[in-house]
Amino acid sequence: MKWDGERMTKSARNKTIDFDLDHAPQAVLEQIATLQPGPVSLAAIRDRSINGDSFQVVRQFPDRFADLALVDPPYNLDKRYDGLNFKHQSTGEYQEYTQRWIDLIKPKLTPTASLYVFADWQTSVALAPVLAANFTVKNRITWQREKGRGAKGNWKNGMEDIWFLTMDEREYTFNVDQVKQRRQVIAPYRENGQAKDWHESAAGRFRDTMPSNFWDDISIPYWSMAENTGHPTQKPEKLLAKLILASSNPGDLVLDPFAGAGSSLVTAKKLDRHFVGIEQSRLYTAWGVYRLQAADHDRSIQGYTDGVFWERNTGALQRRLNKKKG
């Protein structure tokens, strides 16, 4: 940041999307959807980012239309979101809050739909029994945030959870080959002179590994990344891409009732899925629409290249691969 004599301005490399509504492009404001009272058709909400209260808006949606839901509700913490405060609740109160949004969203999911619910470790304790009472719990993903302040009286909180849930115990989408991770091979093993379980590409020697429920390859968006916004709890597109690719197919519809700055909607669009998002803050909705419009021209997802997910700090390798292919 620097001072231009009247106000603080960003450096040329700072790509953070944090404009206020007074400076939002008119084309963005025109694309923010709001709903009049009463039922709406799927055609009226598909591929739209809706500004409103999810607990009211979801009631207007048709039933059984979403193939995948990504749910990132406020964690059970004191947090401020664009002037709206979420206050820490007792475990029982937060469980009642969780059951409220489940009762609204569940009828909107197809019988074979999947659901991912985000939480920190404390919120997970309250969530677990409520989620298990309403869905089939398939797994709990833990991902490394690689950010956060240290604590002198406790361990630094560097992990978050994602609960993987399905409507049906057996019938659901899971595209394991779509979410493999590419790791560099340090000591390549050969059998009869041939590479075993690894391959050589233009960028080097790699092994495409099966995904696990611990993710250590996620980078939190930061100021020089085009996806970064001023939202305080933004999820990375790379993280959301794994969930969308694994649990939906091209042309499916992704529902996000707490859309924030639109990361899930943008990622769904880049991966050829339809989407419906709801966000209470008009400012955050505007940031999301701005990003959706940018995705018309840039469909790249940081850390996802050549149909696989790459480890952290491999951007140069990915660029080299794209250059060779180009």
Side-chain angles (χ1 to χ4, degrees), residues 209-267:
T209 62
M210 297 292 279
S212 76
N213 63 353
F214 173 65
W215 298 353
D216 62 352
D217 62 320
I218 304 297
S219 294
I220 300 295
Y222 50 89
W223 60 273
S224 64
M225 293 171 62
E227 69 181 271
N228 192 45
T229 75
H231 193 283
T233 60
Q234 180 181 349
K235 298 299 185 293
E237 291 181 12
K238 182 181 182 182
L239 179 146
L240 297 164
K242 292 190 179 193
L243 309 179
I244 292 170
L245 286 168
S247 294
S248 69
N249 296 305
D252 283 353
L253 192 145
V254 179
L255 170 65
D256 187 341
F258 303 99
S263 296
S264 63
L265 315 183
V266 172
T267 309

Side-chain angles (χ1 to χ4, degrees), residues 3 24 30 52 61 68 71 74 86 93 108 130 134 156 165 178 190 215 223 250 255 290 303 310 316:
W3 182 256
E30 291 172 353
F61 292 172
L68 172 64
V71 186
F86 189 90
E93 289 171 334
K108 311 307 176 183
V130 184
N134 288 274
K156 175 181 174 180
L165 317 164
Q178 297 291 311
R190 297 180 184 272
W215 298 353
W223 60 273
L255 170 65
Y290 180 88
W310 292 64

